[in-house]
Amino acid sequence: MVKIAVTGKGGVGKTTLSGTIARLLARDGYDVLAIDADSDMNLASSLGIAKPPLPLTDYKEMIDERAGEAGGMFKYNPKVDDITDKFGVVGPDGVKMLVMGTVERGGSGCMCPASSFLRALLRHVVLKDSSALIMDMEAGIEHLGRGTTRGIDLMIIVVEPGMRSIETASRIKDLASGIGVEHLAAVVNKGNSADVKPKLAELGIPVLGEIPFSAELMNADFEGKAPLDSGLEDIAPFVEIKDRMLEMIEGFKDEETKDEN
């Protein structure tokens, strides 16, 4: 079982990476759940899903019933094991998808039922050994303040050549360590990794791979098509990133097993 969160500065291509990796994992035989945790909610097109599900936060009565308590209290572990089947959709390659939606009372101090419900979902929704959870996070670092990425195996930061993207990666690393996210890696999009690898090395963030600038990818984005459905001829960079990602996670788990023994 693997849990991945994909993040980065706005416009760097994290949604394209999230949707493509999700489908490649499904083709490898994983039972994949892709969660759109971005307030812009664009993951469906990257997955090739024409009609995405409604955001979970739209089901206010259900959330209040499961996560709320009398007197304004909330349940820390609300029931979530049936959420994917009831409120998700299944897309190409069998990828299941959920949309989280926006918690209106967001921020690091939010302890409302919706926040409790969504955190429980991310902790418990994927249980099978052959499962993979891919979360397309909102741009920037706000999600780290809410702690919705606790318990993931790897946080992938998508960067592009330029110091603003590197600065965002640096802030993400600093905040991630504060909420127990131990493993980070980067994917370089729209440029040559040689331009940013030294900066990422200074931050201690390894590079999984790079996605060269592609007119085909850009056209697919304009047309609202998934890269894998757009006639993209060279998917090798995505496959290599996916394979390297799995190798890295396996290495982390081997190290943890050794430490436990």
Side-chain angles (χ1 to χ4, degrees), residues 35-98:
I35 295 183
D36 193 341
D38 190 340
S39 56
D40 285 339
M41 296 180 282
N42 294 318
L43 181 60
S45 62
S46 183
L47 290 167
I49 294 174
K51 294 183 179 180
L54 290 175
L56 290 176
T57 48
D58 280 10
Y59 299 97
K60 297 184 185 299
E61 291 184 5
M62 181 271 292
I63 290 176
D64 287 340
E65 177 185 343
R66 296 195 182 193
E69 292 274 13
M73 301 297 289
F74 68 96
K75 297 176 183 176
Y76 185 72
N77 286 309
K79 175 180 171 63
V80 294
D81 57 357
D82 61 343
I83 293 301
T84 301
D85 292 334
K86 285 188 175 181
F87 303 104
V89 298
V90 180
D93 296 311
V95 175
K96 292 173 231 166
M97 179 191 178
L98 287 171

Side-chain angles (χ1 to χ4, degrees), residues 1-131:
M1 182 175 68
V2 295
K3 291 186 178 183
I4 309 296
V6 182
T7 186
K9 186 178 72 70
V12 295
K14 62 185 183 55
T15 299
T16 296
L17 179 68
S18 300
T20 307
I21 291 296
R23 287 185 57 178
L24 290 175
L25 287 171
R27 293 180 180 185
D28 283 350
Y30 281 85
D31 182 9
V32 179
L33 172 62
I35 295 183
D36 193 341
D38 190 340
S39 56
D40 285 339
M41 296 180 282
N42 294 318
L43 181 60
S45 62
S46 183
L47 290 167
I49 294 174
K51 294 183 179 180
L54 290 175
L56 290 176
T57 48
D58 280 10
Y59 299 97
K60 297 184 185 299
E61 291 184 5
M62 181 271 292
I63 290 176
D64 287 340
E65 177 185 343
R66 296 195 182 193
E69 292 274 13
M73 301 297 289
F74 68 96
K75 297 176 183 176
Y76 185 72
N77 286 309
K79 175 180 171 63
V80 294
D81 57 357
D82 61 343
I83 293 301
T84 301
D85 292 334
K86 285 188 175 181
F87 303 104
V89 298
V90 180
D93 296 311
V95 175
K96 292 173 231 166
M97 179 191 178
L98 287 171
V99 177
M100 285 178 64
T102 301
V103 177
E104 293 179 0
R105 287 180 288 169
S108 59
C110 178
M111 297 297 282
C112 55
S115 179
S116 173
F117 182 84
L118 296 178
R119 290 183 189 182
L121 177 69
L122 298 181
R123 285 196 304 270
H124 301 302
V125 76
V126 178
L127 299 173
K128 297 178 183 177
D129 288 342
S130 60
S131 295

Side-chain angles (χ1 to χ4, degrees), residues 4 16 45 52 67 73 86 107 136 140 149 168 204 209 214 216 220 225 258:
I4 309 296
T16 296
S45 62
M73 301 297 289
K86 285 188 175 181
D136 180 29
T149 47
T168 298
S214 165
E216 291 176 305
K225 291 182 178 179
K258 290 178 182 178

Side-chain angles (χ1 to χ4, degrees), residues 60-255:
K60 297 184 185 299
E61 291 184 5
M62 181 271 292
I63 290 176
D64 287 340
E65 177 185 343
R66 296 195 182 193
E69 292 274 13
M73 301 297 289
F74 68 96
K75 297 176 183 176
Y76 185 72
N77 286 309
K79 175 180 171 63
V80 294
D81 57 357
D82 61 343
I83 293 301
T84 301
D85 292 334
K86 285 188 175 181
F87 303 104
V89 298
V90 180
D93 296 311
V95 175
K96 292 173 231 166
M97 179 191 178
L98 287 171
V99 177
M100 285 178 64
T102 301
V103 177
E104 293 179 0
R105 287 180 288 169
S108 59
C110 178
M111 297 297 282
C112 55
S115 179
S116 173
F117 182 84
L118 296 178
R119 290 183 189 182
L121 177 69
L122 298 181
R123 285 196 304 270
H124 301 302
V125 76
V126 178
L127 299 173
K128 297 178 183 177
D129 288 342
S130 60
S131 295
L133 171 68
I134 307 292
M135 287 192 295
D136 180 29
M137 308 304 298
E138 62 187 312
I141 57 178
E142 170 65 16
H143 57 88
L144 295 175
R146 292 199 297 270
T148 50
T149 47
R150 283 190 178 95
I152 67 162
D153 296 308
L154 181 66
M155 179 177 288
I156 298 176
I157 308 170
V158 182
V159 301
E160 59 187 3
M163 280 309 299
R164 290 180 183 176
S165 189
I166 297 297
E167 289 167 359
T168 298
S170 177
R171 291 196 295 271
I172 287 171
K173 182 186 178 185
D174 289 343
L175 288 172
S177 63
I179 60 169
V181 176
E182 299 179 3
H183 305 302
L184 296 93
V187 167
V188 180
N189 192 25
K190 307 176 188 176
N192 192 315
S193 62
D195 297 330
V196 295
K197 262 188 174 180
K199 297 294 184 181
L200 291 169
E202 291 175 10
L203 297 174
I205 301 175
V207 176
L208 288 172
E210 65 183 68
I211 304 170
F213 175 82
S214 165
E216 291 176 305
L217 278 177
M218 185 173 65
N219 289 335
D221 184 46
F222 278 127
E223 295 172 3
K225 291 182 178 179
L228 295 183
D229 297 332
S230 64
L232 182 66
E233 293 183 3
D234 186 11
I235 65 169
F238 292 99
V239 174
E240 292 170 4
I241 289 166
K242 180 261 301 178
D243 290 342
R244 175 63 180 138
M245 176 191 78
L246 292 175
E247 291 173 3
M248 185 176 288
I249 292 172
E250 188 64 29
F252 296 151
K253 293 186 175 181
D254 286 345
E255 290 177 7

